C-alpha cells in the first residue's frame, strides 16, 4: 500500500474570478499537487478550511488574517505593492507601514522568484523563504519564425503597473513601420485606465486589442507572433515572459523587477530603460530585419532551457514540505 499523501489547505481568492498571474499560479500548483495524489482544500475564508492541515495564504487575503492563524501558515508572495508603490510613496516606507504589520506574522514564505526572495531578505525577513517559480501547463511547439514582418504581442492585464499606456504613447510618437502589435489581457481590473488605453488603441494603425484569452487561444497567439513585448514597470516573476521564451519568442522588455532573469540581452531579447526605447528597437528591427533574425535564432535555441512543467514545480513543493 502506498503511503498516504500529505494534505494541504490553500486560503486563496476564487481562481476563476479573473485572470492574473497569481490566480494562475495558485490554480496550476493546486491541480499539479492533486495529480500527484495530495488531498487539497481551498477556500477564500479560513472557516472553510480544516484545522491541523498545513496552510498557505495568498497575498491578497493575507492582511486580514488573524496573527495567530498567520503564524501557522505560509504566505504565497505573488506581488507586494511596495515594489511599485503609489505616487508619493517610497517603497521602503510602504513596506514598513502597510505590509510589514501583517506580513511579519506568517510562519514562512513561498516566493515565486529569486527576485522576490532577495527582496524579502533585503527587508530583513528572517523566517524561511522558499522559491518555487511558475511552470508550464504543457510544452509548447517551438516553431521557425521569419524576421519580417514583426508581429508582436503584449500579454498583460490592462492596469497601470503593466505600462500599457506609455508604450502606446511611444508607439504613437514614432509608429514602427509595418509592425503589428496585439494586446491580450483583462480590461476590467482598472476600468478607467483600460478605457484610456483602449481609446489610444483605436487611433493607432497596426495595434489590436484581443481581450482576455483562454490558454488555448493564448498559445495560438504566441504561435502567430514572433516577438513578445513586456512594458510592465515591475514583474515579480513574469509568467508571460516565461511562456514566450519557452515557445522560442524573443523578448523586448522594460527592465523592471524579475524581467532581466528572462532575457539574455543581445541574444534572445533586449532590456530597455524606457518605453520609448522599446519602440526604437521595434523601428530598427522593422526596417532592418537582418538585425532581428539573430534574436529569433537564439530564442529558438534557448527555448528548451525554459520548458518546465507544473508537475516539476509540484515535486519541488513536495520536497520543501517533506523537510518541514
Amino acid at each position: 500500500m502506498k503511503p498516504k499523501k500529505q494534505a494541504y489547505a490553500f486560503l486563496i481568492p476564487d481562481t476563476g474570478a479573473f485572470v492574473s498571474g497569481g490566480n494562475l499560479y495558485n490554480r496550476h500548483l493546486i491541480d499539479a499537487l492533486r495529480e500527484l495524489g495530495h488531498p487539497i482544500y481551498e477556500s477564500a475564508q479560513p472557516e472553510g478550511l480544516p484545522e491541523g492541515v498545513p496552510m498557505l495564504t495568498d497575498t491578497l487575503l493575507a492582511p486580514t488574517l488573524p496573527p495567530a492563524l498567520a503564524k501557522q501558515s505560509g504566505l504565497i508572495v505573488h506581488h507586494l505593492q511596495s515594489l511599485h508603490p503609489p505616487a508619493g510613496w517610497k517603497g521602503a516606507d510602504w513596506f514598513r507601514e502597510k505590509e510589514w504589520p501583517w506580513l511579519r506574522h506568517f510562519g514562512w514564505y513561498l516566493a515565486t522568484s529569486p527576485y522576490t526572495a532577495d527582496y524579502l531578505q533585503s527587508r530583513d525577513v528572517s523566517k524561511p523563504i522558499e522559491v518555487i517559480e511558475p511552470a508550464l501547463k504543457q510544452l509548447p511547439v517551438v516553431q521557425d519564425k521569419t524576421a519580417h514582418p514583426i508581429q508582436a504581442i503584449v500579454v498583460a492585464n490592462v492596469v497601470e503597473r503593466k505600462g500599457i499606456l506609455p508604450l502606446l504613447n511611444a508607439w504613437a510618437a514614432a509608429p514602427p513601420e509595418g509592425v503589428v502589435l496585439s494586446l491580450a489581457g483583462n480590461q476590467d481590473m482598472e476600468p478607467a485606465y483600460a478605457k484610456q488605453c483602449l481609446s489610444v488603441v483605436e487611433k493607432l494603425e497596426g495595434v489590436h486589442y484581443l481581450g482576455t484569452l483562454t490558454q488555448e487561444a493564448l498559445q495560438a497567439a504566441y504561435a502567430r507572433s514572433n516577438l513578445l513585448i513586456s512594458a510592465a514597470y515591475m514583474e515579480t516573476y513574469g509568467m508571460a515572459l516565461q511562456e514566450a521564451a519557452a515557445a522560442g519568442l524573443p523578448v523586448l522588455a522594460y527592465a523592471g523587477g524579475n524581467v532581466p532573469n528572462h532575457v539574455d540581452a543581445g541574444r534572445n531579447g533586449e532590456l530597455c530603460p524606457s518605453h520609448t526605447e522599446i519602440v526604437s528597437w521595434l523601428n530598427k528591427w522593422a526596417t532592418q530585419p537582418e538585425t532581428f533574425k539573430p534574436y529569433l535564432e537564439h530564442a529558438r535555441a534557448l527555448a528548451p532551457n525554459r520548458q518546465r512543467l507544473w508537475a516539476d514545480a509540484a515535486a519541488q513543493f513536495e520536497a520543501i514540505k517533506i523537510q518541514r
Side-chain angles (χ1 to χ4, degrees), residues 133-155:
E133 298 184 59
L136 303 171
K137 192 171 182 179
Q138 61 186 43
L139 296 181
V141 176
V142 179
Q143 302 174 333
D144 290 339
K145 304 282 186 177
T146 58
H148 183 80
I150 292 178
Q151 300 183 59
I153 185 169
V154 172
V155 180

Side-chain angles (χ1 to χ4, degrees), residues 89-162:
W89 281 86
K90 293 181 179 179
D93 294 338
W94 186 273
F95 182 87
R96 183 179 63 254
E97 296 184 31
K98 304 292 186 179
E99 292 170 343
W100 184 240
W102 55 264
L103 189 146
R104 64 189 176 90
H105 295 298
F106 284 85
W108 65 285
Y109 305 90
L110 176 60
T112 59
S113 69
Y115 173 85
T116 301
D118 290 344
Y119 177 77
L120 291 172
Q121 290 171 344
S122 75
R123 297 297 182 204
D124 297 324
V125 173
S126 59
K127 293 176 184 176
I129 303 169
E130 305 287 357
V131 178
I132 298 181
E133 298 184 59
L136 303 171
K137 192 171 182 179
Q138 61 186 43
L139 296 181
V141 176
V142 179
Q143 302 174 333
D144 290 339
K145 304 282 186 177
T146 58
H148 183 80
I150 292 178
Q151 300 183 59
I153 185 169
V154 172
V155 180
N157 290 324
V158 189
V159 297
E160 185 273 336
R161 181 170 62 87
K162 296 297 185 177

